[in-house]
Amino acid sequence: DTAVSQTPKYLVTQMGNDKSIKCEQNLGHDTMYWYKQDSKKFLKIMFSYNNKELIINETVPNRFSPKSPDKAHLNLHINSLELGDSAVYFCASSQASGYLPKAEQYFGPGTRLTVT
Amino acid sequence: GENVEQHPSTLSVQEGDSAVIKCTYSDSASNYFPWYKQELGKRPQLIIDIRSNVGEKKDQRIAVTLNKTAKHFSLHITETQPEDSAVYFCAASQRALTFGSGTRLQVQP
Protein backbone atom coordinates (compact mmCIF):
# COMPACT_ATOMS: atom_id res chain seq x y z
CA ASP A 1 0.00 0.00 0.00
CA THR A 2 2.81 2.37 -0.99
CA ALA A 3 1.51 5.94 -1.30
CA VAL A 4 3.48 6.96 -4.40
CA SER A 5 5.04 4.24 -6.49
CA GLN A 6 7.30 4.37 -9.54
CA THR A 7 8.45 1.76 -11.99
CA PRO A 8 11.07 0.82 -12.80
CA LYS A 9 13.40 1.53 -9.89
CA TYR A 10 16.46 1.23 -12.11
CA LEU A 11 16.72 1.82 -15.84
CA VAL A 12 19.91 1.35 -17.84
CA THR A 13 19.72 2.09 -21.53
CA GLN A 14 21.76 3.29 -24.47
CA MET A 15 21.85 6.71 -26.05
CA GLY A 16 19.17 7.28 -28.63
CA ASN A 17 16.65 4.88 -27.09
CA ASP A 18 13.14 5.81 -25.95
CA LYS A 19 12.01 4.89 -22.45
CA SER A 20 9.11 5.45 -20.08
CA ILE A 21 8.81 5.76 -16.31
CA LYS A 22 5.46 5.17 -14.66
CA CYS A 23 4.09 6.78 -11.51
CA GLU A 24 0.99 6.03 -9.52
CA GLN A 25 -0.38 7.51 -6.30
CA ASN A 26 -3.17 6.10 -4.16
CA LEU A 27 -3.54 9.11 -1.88
CA GLY A 28 -6.42 10.68 -3.77
CA HIS A 29 -4.29 13.75 -4.53
CA ASP A 30 -5.16 15.98 -7.44
CA THR A 31 -1.67 17.19 -8.34
CA MET A 32 1.36 15.22 -9.48
CA TYR A 33 4.90 16.24 -10.30
CA TRP A 34 8.10 15.04 -11.90
CA TYR A 35 11.45 16.13 -10.46
CA LYS A 36 14.96 15.44 -11.71
CA GLN A 37 17.82 14.97 -9.23
CA ASP A 38 21.23 15.14 -10.86
CA SER A 39 24.53 13.72 -9.66
CA LYS A 40 25.14 16.79 -7.49
CA LYS A 41 21.82 16.17 -5.75
CA PHE A 42 20.08 19.24 -7.20
CA LEU A 43 16.32 18.65 -7.20
CA LYS A 44 14.51 20.47 -9.99
CA ILE A 45 10.86 20.54 -10.97
CA MET A 46 10.16 19.36 -14.51
CA PHE A 47 6.38 19.12 -14.80
CA SER A 48 3.24 19.42 -12.74
CA TYR A 49 -0.25 18.19 -13.53
CA ASN A 50 -3.42 19.21 -11.71
CA ASN A 51 -6.45 17.04 -12.42
CA LYS A 52 -4.78 15.70 -15.58
CA GLU A 53 -4.04 19.22 -16.81
CA LEU A 54 -0.47 20.40 -17.33
CA ILE A 55 0.11 23.44 -15.13
CA ILE A 56 3.88 23.65 -14.91
CA ASN A 57 6.33 22.92 -17.67
CA GLU A 58 9.79 24.10 -16.82
CA THR A 59 12.48 24.49 -19.46
CA VAL A 60 12.66 20.82 -20.24
CA PRO A 61 13.63 19.56 -23.71
CA ASN A 62 10.62 18.44 -25.71
CA ARG A 63 12.15 14.95 -25.80
CA PHE A 64 10.45 14.64 -22.41
CA SER A 65 6.70 14.17 -22.63
CA PRO A 66 4.55 13.64 -19.55
CA LYS A 67 1.21 11.93 -19.84
CA SER A 68 -1.52 11.81 -17.24
CA PRO A 69 -4.26 9.31 -18.15
CA ASP A 70 -6.06 10.05 -14.87
CA LYS A 71 -5.53 11.87 -11.57
CA ALA A 72 -3.70 8.92 -10.03
CA HIS A 73 -1.12 8.43 -12.76
CA LEU A 74 1.60 10.56 -14.30
CA ASN A 75 3.99 8.86 -16.67
CA LEU A 76 7.15 10.28 -18.19
CA HIS A 77 8.26 9.32 -21.67
CA ILE A 78 11.72 10.26 -22.86
CA ASN A 79 12.72 10.12 -26.53
CA SER A 80 16.23 9.94 -27.97
CA LEU A 81 17.94 9.57 -24.62
CA GLU A 82 21.19 11.48 -24.08
CA LEU A 83 24.04 10.98 -21.62
CA GLY A 84 22.96 14.12 -19.74
CA ASP A 85 19.58 12.56 -18.99
CA SER A 86 21.24 10.25 -16.48
CA ALA A 87 19.78 11.17 -13.10
CA VAL A 88 17.26 10.05 -10.50
CA TYR A 89 13.72 10.98 -11.45
CA PHE A 90 11.22 11.44 -8.64
CA CYS A 91 7.49 11.52 -8.97
CA ALA A 92 5.52 13.32 -6.25
CA SER A 93 1.93 14.15 -5.44
CA SER A 94 0.06 16.61 -3.27
CA GLN A 95 -3.40 17.92 -2.64
CA ALA A 96 -3.33 21.38 -4.15
CA SER A 97 -5.86 24.12 -4.47
CA GLY A 98 -5.73 25.39 -7.99
CA TYR A 99 -2.19 26.49 -8.68
CA LEU A 100 -1.17 26.79 -5.05
CA PRO A 101 0.24 23.71 -3.36
CA LYS A 102 -1.02 23.86 0.17
CA ALA A 103 0.16 20.59 1.57
CA GLU A 104 3.01 18.20 1.77
CA GLN A 105 4.36 16.69 -1.40
CA TYR A 106 4.83 12.94 -1.10
CA PHE A 107 7.69 11.59 -3.16
CA GLY A 108 7.97 8.26 -4.88
CA PRO A 109 11.06 6.07 -4.37
CA GLY A 110 12.77 7.42 -7.47
CA THR A 111 13.93 5.88 -10.73
CA ARG A 112 17.65 5.86 -11.34
CA LEU A 113 18.17 6.32 -15.08
CA THR A 114 21.60 5.56 -16.50
CA VAL A 115 22.25 6.34 -20.15
CA THR A 116 25.36 4.73 -21.63
CA GLY B 1 11.05 32.53 -11.26
CA GLU B 2 11.90 31.61 -7.70
CA ASN B 3 15.53 31.17 -6.67
CA VAL B 4 16.46 29.50 -3.37
CA GLU B 5 19.94 29.61 -1.91
CA GLN B 6 20.95 27.28 0.90
CA HIS B 7 23.95 27.33 3.22
CA PRO B 8 26.11 25.63 4.28
CA SER B 9 26.57 22.87 1.71
CA THR B 10 28.10 20.61 4.35
CA LEU B 11 27.82 20.68 8.11
CA SER B 12 29.55 18.46 10.63
CA VAL B 13 28.54 18.54 14.30
CA GLN B 14 29.14 16.45 17.37
CA GLU B 15 26.29 14.37 18.70
CA GLY B 16 24.23 16.50 21.07
CA ASP B 17 25.15 19.79 19.45
CA SER B 18 22.72 21.97 17.50
CA ALA B 19 22.69 22.37 13.73
CA VAL B 20 21.40 25.35 11.79
CA ILE B 21 20.77 25.49 8.06
CA LYS B 22 19.81 28.74 6.35
CA CYS B 23 17.95 29.52 3.15
CA THR B 24 17.02 32.66 1.28
CA TYR B 25 14.41 33.01 -1.43
CA SER B 26 13.79 35.62 -4.09
CA ASP B 27 10.06 35.60 -4.87
CA SER B 28 8.05 37.52 -2.29
CA ALA B 29 4.92 35.70 -3.54
CA SER B 30 6.21 32.38 -2.17
CA ASN B 31 3.99 31.31 0.70
CA TYR B 32 4.97 27.79 1.68
CA PHE B 33 8.40 26.69 2.95
CA PRO B 34 8.98 22.98 3.57
CA TRP B 35 12.13 21.21 4.67
CA TYR B 36 12.94 17.75 3.39
CA LYS B 37 15.38 15.13 4.66
CA GLN B 38 16.91 12.73 2.18
CA GLU B 39 18.89 9.73 3.37
CA LEU B 40 21.31 8.06 1.00
CA GLY B 41 19.48 6.31 -1.81
CA LYS B 42 16.07 7.22 -0.42
CA ARG B 43 13.30 9.60 -1.34
CA PRO B 44 13.02 13.13 0.13
CA GLN B 45 10.71 13.17 3.12
CA LEU B 46 9.08 16.18 4.69
CA ILE B 47 10.28 16.89 8.22
CA ILE B 48 8.67 20.26 8.88
CA ASP B 49 7.04 23.09 6.96
CA ILE B 50 5.96 26.65 7.59
CA ARG B 51 3.55 28.96 5.86
CA SER B 52 4.00 32.64 5.25
CA ASN B 53 1.56 33.69 7.96
CA VAL B 54 3.66 32.06 10.69
CA GLY B 55 7.07 33.14 12.02
CA GLU B 56 8.17 30.01 13.83
CA LYS B 57 7.17 26.39 14.16
CA LYS B 58 8.53 23.60 16.37
CA ASP B 59 8.25 19.84 16.33
CA GLN B 60 10.24 18.19 19.09
CA ARG B 61 13.93 18.71 18.26
CA ILE B 62 13.24 20.51 14.99
CA ALA B 63 12.23 24.13 14.52
CA VAL B 64 11.89 26.41 11.53
CA THR B 65 11.88 30.20 11.54
CA LEU B 66 10.73 32.49 8.74
CA ASN B 67 11.54 36.14 8.19
CA LYS B 68 9.33 37.31 5.34
CA THR B 69 10.76 40.80 5.25
CA ALA B 70 14.29 39.52 4.76
CA LYS B 71 13.09 36.55 2.69
CA HIS B 72 14.98 33.97 4.66
CA PHE B 73 14.13 30.91 6.68
CA SER B 74 16.15 28.54 8.80
CA LEU B 75 16.06 24.99 10.11
CA HIS B 76 17.26 24.33 13.65
CA ILE B 77 17.96 20.84 14.93
CA THR B 78 18.77 20.53 18.62
CA GLU B 79 20.38 17.61 20.44
CA THR B 80 21.53 16.09 17.18
CA GLN B 81 21.80 12.31 16.89
CA PRO B 82 23.72 10.15 14.39
CA GLU B 83 20.44 9.25 12.68
CA ASP B 84 19.99 12.92 11.81
CA SER B 85 22.84 12.49 9.32
CA ALA B 86 21.38 13.07 5.85
CA VAL B 87 21.01 15.70 3.15
CA TYR B 88 18.52 18.42 4.05
CA PHE B 89 16.72 20.51 1.44
CA CYS B 90 14.81 23.69 1.94
CA ALA B 91 12.22 24.74 -0.60
CA ALA B 92 10.02 27.70 -1.37
CA SER B 93 6.75 27.50 -3.17
CA GLN B 94 4.24 29.67 -4.87
CA ARG B 95 3.26 27.43 -7.78
CA ALA B 96 5.79 24.63 -7.47
CA LEU B 97 8.58 23.74 -5.09
CA THR B 98 11.92 25.33 -5.85
CA PHE B 99 14.57 23.52 -3.86
CA GLY B 100 17.79 24.79 -2.36
CA SER B 101 21.00 22.98 -3.26
CA GLY B 102 21.00 20.84 -0.12
CA THR B 103 23.07 20.58 3.07
CA ARG B 104 24.87 17.38 3.90
CA LEU B 105 24.68 17.06 7.69
CA GLN B 106 27.06 14.68 9.40
CA VAL B 107 26.55 14.03 13.10
CA GLN B 108 29.67 12.56 14.68
CA PRO B 109 29.00 10.13 17.53
Side-chain angles (χ1 to χ4, degrees), chain B residues 23-77:
Chain B
C23 289
T24 60
Y25 62 100
S26 61
D27 188 349
S28 55
S30 288
N31 55 13
Y32 174 61
F33 307 91
W35 286 86
Y36 282 81
K37 175 183 180 182
Q38 187 177 27
E39 296 175 351
L40 189 62
K42 301 283 182 64
R43 72 190 80 190
Q45 293 200 292
L46 183 77
I47 54 171
I48 195 166
D49 57 11
I50 192 167
R51 300 182 194 281
S52 57
N53 58 348
V54 176
E56 184 176 357
K57 184 176 177 181
K58 276 187 182 178
D59 183 3
Q60 300 183 342
R61 297 185 297 109
I62 295 172
V64 58
T65 58
L66 170 65
N67 183 328
K68 279 178 57 181
T69 305
K71 293 205 280 264
H72 65 71
F73 56 115
S74 301
L75 177 72
H76 305 251
I77 307 174

Coordinates of all heavy atoms in Angstrom, one line a residue, chain B residues 23-77:
Chain B
C23 N 18.4 29.4 4.5 CA 17.9 29.5 3.1 C 17.4 30.9 2.9 O 16.8 31.5 3.8 CB 16.9 28.5 2.8 SG 17.5 26.8 2.7
T24 N 17.6 31.4 1.7 CA 17.0 32.7 1.3 C 16.3 32.4 0.0 O 16.6 31.5 -0.8 CB 18.1 33.8 1.0 OG1 19.0 33.3 0.0 CG2 18.8 34.1 2.3
Y25 N 15.2 33.2 -0.2 CA 14.4 33.0 -1.4 C 14.2 34.4 -2.1 O 14.4 35.4 -1.5 CB 13.1 32.3 -1.1 CG 12.2 33.1 -0.2 CD1 11.1 33.8 -0.7 CD2 12.3 33.0 1.2 CE1 10.2 34.5 0.2 CE2 11.5 33.7 2.0 CZ 10.4 34.4 1.5 OH 9.6 35.1 2.4
S26 N 13.8 34.4 -3.3 CA 13.8 35.6 -4.1 C 12.4 36.1 -4.4 O 12.2 37.3 -4.5 CB 14.5 35.4 -5.4 OG 13.9 34.5 -6.2
D27 N 11.4 35.2 -4.5 CA 10.1 35.6 -4.9 C 9.2 35.9 -3.6 O 8.8 35.0 -2.9 CB 9.5 34.5 -5.7 CG 8.1 34.9 -6.3 OD1 7.6 35.9 -6.0 OD2 7.7 34.1 -7.2
S28 N 8.8 37.1 -3.5 CA 8.1 37.5 -2.3 C 6.7 36.9 -2.3 O 6.0 36.9 -1.3 CB 8.0 39.0 -2.2 OG 7.4 39.6 -3.4
A29 N 6.2 36.4 -3.5 CA 4.9 35.7 -3.5 C 4.9 34.3 -3.0 O 3.9 33.7 -2.8 CB 4.4 35.7 -5.0
S30 N 6.1 33.7 -2.7 CA 6.2 32.4 -2.2 C 5.6 32.4 -0.8 O 5.7 33.3 0.0 CB 7.7 31.9 -2.1 OG 8.2 31.6 -3.3
N31 N 4.8 31.3 -0.5 CA 4.0 31.3 0.7 C 4.0 30.0 1.5 O 3.3 29.8 2.4 CB 2.5 31.7 0.4 CG 1.9 30.7 -0.7 OD1 2.5 29.7 -1.0 ND2 0.8 31.1 -1.2
Y32 N 4.9 29.1 1.0 CA 5.0 27.8 1.7 C 6.4 27.4 1.7 O 7.1 27.4 0.6 CB 4.1 26.8 1.0 CG 4.2 25.4 1.4 CD1 3.8 25.0 2.8 CD2 4.6 24.3 0.6 CE1 3.9 23.7 3.2 CE2 4.6 23.0 1.0 CZ 4.3 22.7 2.3 OH 4.4 21.4 2.8
F33 N 7.0 26.9 2.8 CA 8.4 26.7 2.9 C 8.6 25.4 3.7 O 8.7 25.3 4.9 CB 9.1 27.8 3.7 CG 8.8 29.2 3.1 CD1 7.7 29.9 3.5 CD2 9.6 29.7 2.1 CE1 7.4 31.2 2.9 CE2 9.3 30.9 1.5 CZ 8.2 31.6 1.9
P34 N 8.7 24.3 2.9 CA 9.0 23.0 3.6 C 10.5 22.7 3.7 O 11.3 23.2 2.9 CB 8.3 22.0 2.6 CG 8.4 22.7 1.3 CD 8.4 24.2 1.5
W35 N 10.8 21.8 4.6 CA 12.1 21.2 4.7 C 12.0 19.7 4.5 O 11.2 19.0 5.1 CB 12.7 21.5 6.0 CG 13.2 22.9 6.2 CD1 12.4 24.0 6.6 CD2 14.5 23.5 6.0 NE1 13.1 25.2 6.6 CE2 14.4 24.9 6.2 CE3 15.7 22.9 5.5 CZ2 15.5 25.7 6.1 CZ3 16.8 23.8 5.4 CH2 16.7 25.1 5.7
Y36 N 12.9 19.2 3.7 CA 12.9 17.7 3.4 C 14.3 17.1 3.8 O 15.3 17.8 3.7 CB 12.7 17.5 1.9 CG 11.3 17.6 1.4 CD1 10.8 18.8 1.1 CD2 10.5 16.5 1.3 CE1 9.4 19.0 0.7 CE2 9.2 16.6 0.9 CZ 8.7 17.8 0.6 OH 7.4 17.9 0.2
K37 N 14.2 15.9 4.3 CA 15.4 15.1 4.7 C 15.5 14.0 3.7 O 14.5 13.3 3.4 CB 15.2 14.6 6.1 CG 16.3 13.7 6.6 CD 16.0 13.1 8.0 CE 17.1 12.2 8.5 NZ 16.8 11.7 9.8
Q38 N 16.7 13.8 3.1 CA 16.9 12.7 2.2 C 18.1 11.9 2.6 O 19.2 12.4 2.6 CB 17.1 13.2 0.8 CG 17.2 12.1 -0.3 CD 17.4 12.6 -1.7 OE1 17.9 13.7 -1.9 NE2 16.9 11.9 -2.7
E39 N 17.8 10.7 3.0 CA 18.9 9.7 3.4 C 19.4 9.1 2.1 O 18.7 9.1 1.1 CB 18.4 8.7 4.3 CG 17.9 9.3 5.7 CD 17.3 8.3 6.6 OE1 17.0 7.2 6.2 OE2 17.1 8.7 7.8
L40 N 20.6 8.6 2.2 CA 21.3 8.1 1.0 C 20.5 7.0 0.3 O 20.0 6.0 0.9 CB 22.7 7.5 1.4 CG 23.6 7.1 0.3 CD1 24.0 8.3 -0.5 CD2 24.8 6.4 0.8
G41 N 20.2 7.3 -1.0 CA 19.5 6.3 -1.8 C 18.0 6.3 -1.6 O 17.3 5.4 -2.1
K42 N 17.5 7.2 -0.7 CA 16.1 7.2 -0.4 C 15.4 8.4 -1.0 O 16.0 9.3 -1.6 CB 15.9 7.2 1.1 CG 16.5 6.1 1.8 CD 15.7 4.8 1.7 CE 16.3 3.6 2.4 NZ 16.3 3.8 3.9
R43 N 14.1 8.5 -0.8 CA 13.3 9.6 -1.3 C 13.3 10.8 -0.3 O 13.5 10.5 0.8 CB 11.8 9.2 -1.5 CG 11.1 8.9 -0.3 CD 9.7 8.3 -0.5 NE 9.8 6.9 -0.7 CZ 8.8 6.1 -1.1 NH1 7.7 6.6 -1.4 NH2 9.0 4.8 -1.3
P44 N 13.1 12.0 -0.8 CA 13.0 13.1 0.1 C 11.8 13.0 1.0 O 10.7 12.6 0.4 CB 12.9 14.3 -0.8 CG 13.4 13.9 -2.1 CD 13.1 12.4 -2.2
Q45 N 11.9 13.3 2.2 CA 10.7 13.2 3.1 C 10.6 14.5 3.9 O 11.6 15.0 4.5 CB 10.8 12.0 4.1 CG 10.8 10.6 3.3 CD 10.4 9.5 4.2 OE1 11.2 9.1 5.0 NE2 9.3 8.9 4.0
L46 N 9.4 14.9 4.0 CA 9.1 16.2 4.7 C 9.3 16.0 6.2 O 8.9 15.0 6.8 CB 7.6 16.6 4.5 CG 7.2 17.9 5.1 CD1 7.7 19.1 4.3 CD2 5.7 18.0 5.3
I47 N 10.1 17.0 6.8 CA 10.3 16.9 8.2 C 9.6 18.0 8.9 O 9.1 17.9 10.1 CB 11.8 16.9 8.6 CG1 12.5 18.1 8.0 CG2 12.4 15.6 8.2 CD1 13.9 18.3 8.5
I48 N 9.4 19.1 8.3 CA 8.7 20.3 8.9 C 8.4 21.3 7.8 O 9.1 21.3 6.8 CB 9.5 20.9 10.0 CG1 8.6 21.8 10.9 CG2 10.7 21.7 9.5 CD1 9.2 22.2 12.2
D49 N 7.3 22.0 7.9 CA 7.0 23.1 7.0 C 6.5 24.3 7.7 O 6.0 24.2 8.8 CB 6.1 22.6 5.9 CG 4.8 22.1 6.4 OD1 4.5 22.2 7.6 OD2 4.0 21.4 5.6
I50 N 6.5 25.4 7.0 CA 6.0 26.7 7.6 C 5.3 27.5 6.5 O 5.8 27.4 5.3 CB 7.1 27.4 8.3 CG1 6.5 28.6 9.2 CG2 8.1 28.0 7.3 CD1 7.5 29.2 10.2
R51 N 4.3 28.1 6.8 CA 3.6 29.0 5.9 C 3.8 30.4 6.2 O 4.2 30.8 7.2 CB 2.1 28.6 5.9 CG 1.8 27.2 5.6 CD 0.4 26.7 5.5 NE 0.3 25.3 5.5 CZ 0.6 24.5 4.5 NH1 0.8 25.1 3.3 NH2 0.5 23.2 4.6
S52 N 3.5 31.3 5.2 CA 4.0 32.6 5.2 C 3.3 33.5 6.3 O 3.7 34.6 6.6 CB 3.8 33.3 3.9 OG 2.5 33.3 3.5
N53 N 2.2 32.9 6.9 CA 1.6 33.7 8.0 C 2.0 33.3 9.4 O 1.5 33.7 10.4 CB 0.0 33.5 7.9 CG -0.3 32.0 8.0 OD1 0.5 31.1 7.9 ND2 -1.6 31.8 8.1
V54 N 3.1 32.5 9.4 CA 3.7 32.1 10.7 C 5.1 32.4 10.7 O 5.8 32.3 9.7 CB 3.5 30.5 10.8 CG1 4.1 30.0 12.1 CG2 2.0 30.2 10.8
G55 N 5.7 32.8 11.9 CA 7.1 33.1 12.0 C 8.0 32.0 12.5 O 9.1 32.0 12.2
E56 N 7.4 31.1 13.3 CA 8.2 30.0 13.8 C 7.3 28.8 14.1 O 6.1 28.9 14.4 CB 8.8 30.4 15.2 CG 9.7 29.4 15.8 CD 10.4 29.9 17.0 OE1 10.2 31.1 17.4 OE2 11.2 29.1 17.6
K57 N 7.9 27.6 13.9 CA 7.2 26.4 14.2 C 8.1 25.4 14.7 O 9.3 25.3 14.3 CB 6.6 25.9 12.8 CG 5.7 24.6 13.0 CD 5.1 24.3 11.6 CE 4.3 23.0 11.7 NZ 3.7 22.7 10.3
K58 N 7.7 24.6 15.7 CA 8.5 23.6 16.4 C 7.9 22.2 16.3 O 6.7 22.1 16.4 CB 8.8 24.0 17.8 CG 9.9 25.0 18.1 CD 10.1 25.1 19.6 CE 11.2 26.1 19.9 NZ 11.4 26.3 21.3
D59 N 8.7 21.2 16.2 CA 8.3 19.8 16.3 C 9.4 19.1 17.0 O 10.3 18.6 16.4 CB 7.9 19.3 15.0 CG 7.4 17.9 15.0 OD1 7.2 17.3 16.1 OD2 7.1 17.3 14.0
Q60 N 9.3 18.9 18.3 CA 10.2 18.2 19.1 C 11.6 18.8 18.9 O 11.8 20.0 19.3 CB 10.2 16.7 18.7 CG 8.9 16.1 19.0 CD 8.9 14.6 18.7 OE1 9.7 14.0 18.0 NE2 7.9 13.9 19.3
R61 N 12.6 18.2 18.3 CA 13.9 18.7 18.3 C 14.1 19.6 17.0 O 15.2 20.1 16.8 CB 15.0 17.6 18.2 CG 15.0 16.7 19.5 CD 16.1 15.7 19.4 NE 16.0 14.7 18.3 CZ 16.7 14.7 17.2 NH1 17.7 15.6 17.0 NH2 16.5 13.8 16.3
I62 N 13.1 19.8 16.2 CA 13.2 20.5 15.0 C 12.4 21.8 15.1 O 11.3 21.8 15.6 CB 12.8 19.6 13.8 CG1 13.7 18.4 13.6 CG2 12.7 20.4 12.5 CD1 13.2 17.4 12.6
A63 N 13.0 22.9 14.6 CA 12.2 24.1 14.5 C 12.6 24.8 13.2 O 13.7 24.7 12.7 CB 12.6 25.0 15.7
V64 N 11.6 25.6 12.7 CA 11.9 26.4 11.5 C 11.4 27.8 11.8 O 10.4 28.0 12.5 CB 11.2 25.8 10.3 CG1 9.7 25.7 10.5 CG2 11.5 26.6 9.1
T65 N 12.2 28.8 11.4 CA 11.9 30.2 11.5 C 11.8 30.8 10.2 O 12.5 30.4 9.2 CB 12.9 31.0 12.4 OG1 14.2 30.8 11.8 CG2 13.0 30.4 13.8
L66 N 10.9 31.8 10.0 CA 10.7 32.5 8.7 C 10.7 34.0 9.0 O 10.0 34.5 9.8 CB 9.4 32.1 8.1 CG 8.9 32.8 6.9 CD1 9.8 32.6 5.7 CD2 7.5 32.4 6.5
N67 N 11.5 34.7 8.2 CA 11.5 36.1 8.2 C 11.1 36.6 6.8 O 11.9 36.6 5.9 CB 12.9 36.7 8.5 CG 13.0 38.2 8.6 OD1 12.3 38.9 7.9 ND2 13.8 38.7 9.5
K68 N 9.8 37.0 6.7 CA 9.3 37.3 5.3 C 9.9 38.6 4.8 O 10.1 38.7 3.6 CB 7.8 37.5 5.4 CG 7.0 36.2 5.4 CD 5.6 36.4 5.5 CE 5.0 37.3 4.4 NZ 3.6 37.6 4.6
T69 N 10.2 39.5 5.7 CA 10.8 40.8 5.3 C 12.1 40.6 4.6 O 12.4 41.1 3.5 CB 10.9 41.8 6.4 OG1 9.6 41.9 7.1 CG2 11.4 43.1 6.0
A70 N 12.9 39.8 5.3 CA 14.3 39.5 4.8 C 14.3 38.4 3.8 O 15.4 38.1 3.1 CB 15.2 39.2 5.9
K71 N 13.2 37.7 3.6 CA 13.1 36.6 2.7 C 14.1 35.5 3.0 O 14.9 35.0 2.2 CB 13.2 37.0 1.2 CG 12.0 37.8 0.8 CD 11.8 37.8 -0.7 CE 12.7 38.7 -1.5 NZ 12.2 40.0 -1.8
H72 N 14.2 35.1 4.3 CA 15.0 34.0 4.7 C 14.3 33.1 5.7 O 13.5 33.6 6.5 CB 16.4 34.4 5.0 CG 16.6 35.2 6.2 ND1 16.4 34.7 7.5 CD2 17.0 36.5 6.4 CE1 16.7 35.7 8.4 NE2 17.1 36.8 7.7
F73 N 14.7 31.9 5.7 CA 14.1 30.9 6.7 C 15.2 29.9 7.1 O 16.2 29.7 6.3 CB 12.9 30.2 6.1 CG 13.0 29.5 4.8 CD1 12.9 28.1 4.7 CD2 13.2 30.2 3.6 CE1 13.0 27.5 3.5 CE2 13.3 29.6 2.4 CZ 13.2 28.2 2.4
S74 N 15.1 29.4 8.2 CA 16.2 28.5 8.8 C 15.6 27.3 9.5 O 14.5 27.3 10.0 CB 17.0 29.3 9.9 OG 17.5 30.5 9.3
L75 N 16.4 26.2 9.4 CA 16.1 25.0 10.1 C 17.0 24.8 11.3 O 18.2 25.0 11.1 CB 16.2 23.8 9.2 CG 16.0 22.4 9.8 CD1 14.5 22.2 10.0 CD2 16.5 21.3 8.8
H76 N 16.5 24.5 12.4 CA 17.3 24.3 13.7 C 17.0 22.9 14.2 O 15.8 22.5 14.4 CB 16.9 25.3 14.7 CG 16.9 26.8 14.3 ND1 17.9 27.6 14.8 CD2 16.2 27.5 13.4 CE1 17.7 28.8 14.2 NE2 16.7 28.8 13.4
I77 N 18.1 22.2 14.3 CA 18.0 20.8 14.9 C 18.7 20.9 16.2 O 20.0 21.2 16.2 CB 18.5 19.7 14.0 CG1 17.8 19.8 12.6 CG2 18.3 18.4 14.6 CD1 18.5 18.9 11.6

